[in-house]
Amino acid sequence: KELLFLSFAGMVQKLDQKLPVANEYLLLSGGVREGVVDIDLDELNVYARGTDYDMDFTLLVPALKLHDRNQPVTLDMRHSALCHSWLSLRLFDEGTISKWKDCCTIVDHINGATNYFFSPTKVADWFYDSISIVLSEIQKKPQRGMPKVEKVEKNGTIISIILGVGSSRMLYDIVPVVSFKGWPAVAQSWLMENHFWDGKITEEEVISGFYLVPACSYKGKKDNEWRLSFARSEVQLKKCISSSLMQAYQACKAIIIKLLSRPKAISPYHLRSMMLWACDRLPANYLAQEDYAAHFLLGLIDDLQHCLVNKMCPNYFIPQCNMLEHLSEETVMLHARKLSSVRSDPAEHLRTAIEHVKAANRLTLELQRRGSTTSIPSPQSDGGDTNQPDDRLAKKLQQLVTENPGKSISVFINPDDVTRPHFRIDDKFF
């Protein structure tokens, strides 16, 4: 069975052979707007669960891979803020440079040498154009079982696609990334500290790889600057977090997404970083208490309040990077006051967040009910009943992600047969 957008990614792979042939895509439950990865873009359009989509995912697509080094990876961070880097194609072979020249900014040195810096904005433009070509070809030659493309938008350096799959609508936030094996030199000191995951998972699992994602700092150069992302490591660390703390995190996230959305300052990624720091700081036997979810929720609210008042939220992997440094005093105090109202009556705010989710679910069911009573054969089908298997496919994907919490889910695609994706969950293949 083919797997929705992942088939499109395989077709892009074949289009101009820019993408690595043996590529690996990291699939994460939740979209970029949900704070799944450390990307905070002003250009992101607002989509609402229930109105625009029913399920959301983030797909990290490596445009380049550097997987042949055993020593710590040293990046060119001379021009960047902490947690950011430029990427020179000098790290790669001549064939790669030739292939990607048109997606680089060029810097000529006094000695006559030319340096090509991989540009996140140009890569995103190329990827959006490639996706558009592939989708146009699919619409010219529709195949049975292919999902209906309801929306394709470029949001800064992110490509957002909403697919209609049976009666479900699935949002994919596609992020072109640079993938590395090993660990960045700038985060080496973090490994020397004691952490809550020590003895629970191996260091090799935690430092198996990292990414550069297309997001610059607030004063950086958008055409050149990438942000370091530890998404693969974060998936591994989730294995070591108790279910009650994860429940508290999800509840706190639901509250702050609505309450602290304007002006944009705090994202769920900040909250996740605070949770990881709390795991390092607090006793393991306390965090393991199964009935302490309410305590943990209050603790997360207090930690967030403390971070806002002090305008200090260290990145978990690179602590010298303060993720709130750019905010104005007015903004942090505004959000701190909002959080004070949450702290005074957290139950009421949580009930409000739950009602928002219920309303979105009711809207989804109503739209599905209307669709089932007025549906006509799709031009992408042969008139047969394809809604049911398509729905199964969508639910299978959701089930795959939700039944494997804390596990790294990757998808391998053979560009010569894009109808057969290959899942890997941690070290097991399916």
Side-chain angles (χ1 to χ4, degrees), residues 31-49:
V32 167
R33 295 157 190 79
E34 295 286 316
V36 171
V37 288
D38 186 14
I39 295 180
D40 187 13
L41 300 176
D42 295 332
E43 301 94 334
L44 283 175
N45 292 336
V46 177
Y47 300 147
R49 184 183 296 273

Side-chain angles (χ1 to χ4, degrees), residues 276-297:
L276 293 173
W277 281 120
C279 289
D280 274 354
R281 186 180 73 246
L282 297 169
N285 58 354
Y286 171 73
L287 292 173
Q289 298 293 325
E290 293 184 2
D291 56 348
Y292 273 28
H295 298 73
F296 297 152
L297 173 59

Side-chain angles (χ1 to χ4, degrees), residues 255 259 298 301 337-347 349:
I255 292 171
L259 188 70
L298 296 178
I301 295 171
R337 285 194 293 270
K338 288 181 179 179
L339 269 184
S340 293
S341 69
V342 175
R343 190 62 174 83
S344 64
D345 192 357
H349 284 84

